[in-house]
Amino acid sequence: MARGCQAWGMEIPAPPSTDPAGFRSGFVALVGRPNVGKSTLVNQLVGQKVAITSPVAQTTRHRLRAVLTTAEAQLVLLDTPGIHKPHHLLGQRLVQSARSAIGDVDVVLLLVDGSQPAGRGDAFIVQLLRQVRVPVRIALNKQDRIAAGQAEELLASYQALIDGGEGEPALDWPLHPICALDGAGSPALLDSLIAALPPGPALYPADTVCDQPEQLLLAELIREQVLHQTREEVPHAVAVRVERIVEDGPRTAVLATVVVERASQKAILIGKGGAMLREIGREARLQMQKVFDGPVYLELFVKVIPHWRRQPARLAELGYDGA
Ligand code: GDP
Ligand code: MG
């Protein structure tokens, strides 16, 4: 089966040589409030050529965002859903689960909007991270938005958070001013993250950039709804292909094609005035929102491909290549 984004027809850069001696690898939890620039930074780090998805990890504690392989290290970037939502973390149990989620990574990257002074949300996350014995790096993003003369004051507001209050030990977490949009500061940030990783071999093939299974999982969620809501010959004639997954701020947009074999099946699937397709889309979207832990916009197209089940090339395209 195609790996990473290859199935999307995108070019994958040649894998760098990974010298096992001195190579480092590990997990980086990417933490930060919505809109601080997490997706932008991931795109910047991994390379503009690839689209980044938020694949579903095996556990609900983390979600795989991207895998970044350099000549010296491999970083597996993970999302920790929920930690950016302090109001959801009021319960002691939830705090506990966020702590254990960030406790099993090698380094935490806290991304903040450095063009704004540190706020209560940032203070909350820092307090939570204080309780976990994991190295932390803080990236102060959006440096390009800072007016001349303001930089020092803004930096000081974040420095105050890690210096701590009375009776709290000061933390030695490095602060990295960056601009995720143009990449300024990101090489130094990357070096700092790599330095926190343990020695070890690559965990994923070097050309992995985003996770294939997510597309398949989302396609299955749609197919499941088709099976629930249609009868007769339709279920067997249906295949679903997820064309694109686009992160748009806190929202995730998913574009998918539902393939059937005949125009009559297409008519059943669409239903009267589009009612059937709307219902399928609505139910699938609700499931996807659980996966992404946030709002999802789902667009479904229906396409007729006569006898797709008998065409090997079509089967492979739809993810049934048997490999
Ligand atoms: P996320 O919700 O944390 O994933 O944030 P996004 O990566 O989606 O970014 C939110 C918005 O901030 C987008 O409009 C980005 O273009 C913008 N943004 C991200 N990084 C920077 C930056 O360094 N400078 C500026 N000016 N805008 C940025
Ligand atoms: Mg995002």
Side-chain angles (χ1 to χ4, degrees), residues 14-279:
S17 65
T18 52
D19 175 14
F23 199 77
R24 293 170 183 270
S25 65
F27 295 92
V28 180
L30 184 54
V31 170
R33 290 182 290 121
N35 280 315
V36 294
K38 295 184 296 298
S39 304
T40 311
L41 177 64
V42 169
N43 276 315
Q44 180 62 241
L45 289 175
V46 176
Q48 300 287 3
K49 265 182 278 183
V50 296
I52 300 307
T53 72
S54 330
V56 185
Q58 287 68 18
T59 68
T60 52
R61 289 154 43 134
H62 294 298
R63 234 161 52 184
L64 183 58
R65 262 185 180 265
V67 178
L68 170 55
T69 310
T70 74
E72 3 157 33
Q74 183 173 75
L75 299 83
V76 183
L77 300 173
L78 304 165
D79 244 359
T80 302
I83 185 175
H84 60 283
K85 292 180 185 160
H87 54 285
H88 284 175
L89 287 170
L90 290 176
Q92 191 54 40
R93 278 231 310 280
L94 283 168
V95 172
Q96 197 61 45
S97 85
R99 274 171 60 176
S100 67
I102 44 189
D104 60 12
V105 297
D106 297 296
V107 55
V108 172
L109 171 56
L110 168 57
L111 191 63
V112 300
D113 180 349
S115 69
Q116 305 289 324
R120 279 178 48 202
D122 302 308
F124 181 91
I125 296 176
V126 167
Q127 283 308 323
L128 197 58
L129 294 176
R130 268 182 182 275
Q131 303 169 36
V132 187
R133 284 208 196 110
V134 172
V136 176
R137 307 285 184 263
I138 302 183
L140 309 174
N141 193 27
K142 309 197 184 183
Q143 292 295 309
D144 57 307
R145 285 218 185 138
I146 297 178
Q150 276 188 341
E152 230 168 273
E153 198 180 315
L154 288 167
L155 186 66
S157 76
Y158 289 95
Q159 186 64 47
L161 285 186
I162 62 172
D163 285 346
E166 209 156 303
E168 271 173 348
L171 302 159
D172 58 358
W173 302 345
L175 297 172
H176 293 276
I178 63 162
C179 173
L181 271 188
D182 69 8
S186 70
L189 173 64
L190 191 56
D191 285 347
S192 171
L193 290 170
I194 290 173
L197 299 181
L203 304 162
Y204 288 82
D207 59 355
T208 306
V209 286
C210 68
D211 218 17
Q212 175 70 9
E214 165 160 80
Q215 274 171 292
L216 298 183
L217 175 108
L218 298 180
E220 281 302 292
L221 291 178
I222 297 166
R223 208 170 62 88
E224 186 179 70
Q225 291 308 318
V226 173
L227 301 187
H228 276 165
Q229 312 213 19
T230 61
R231 285 192 182 80
E232 295 149 39
E233 85 268 39
V234 176
H236 298 290
V238 161
V240 177
R241 184 173 61 203
V242 170
E243 314 282 356
R244 292 184 69 191
I245 305 166
V246 183
E247 274 194 59
D248 177 14
R251 193 176 74 156
T252 306
V254 178
L255 270 68
T257 305
V258 182
V259 178
V260 289
E261 292 190 314
R262 281 187 240 148
S264 60
Q265 294 160 347
K266 177 173 174 173
I268 295 173
L269 207 60
I270 289 175
K272 243 196 184 135
M276 173 69 88
L277 193 64
R278 263 201 306 280
E279 187 58 16

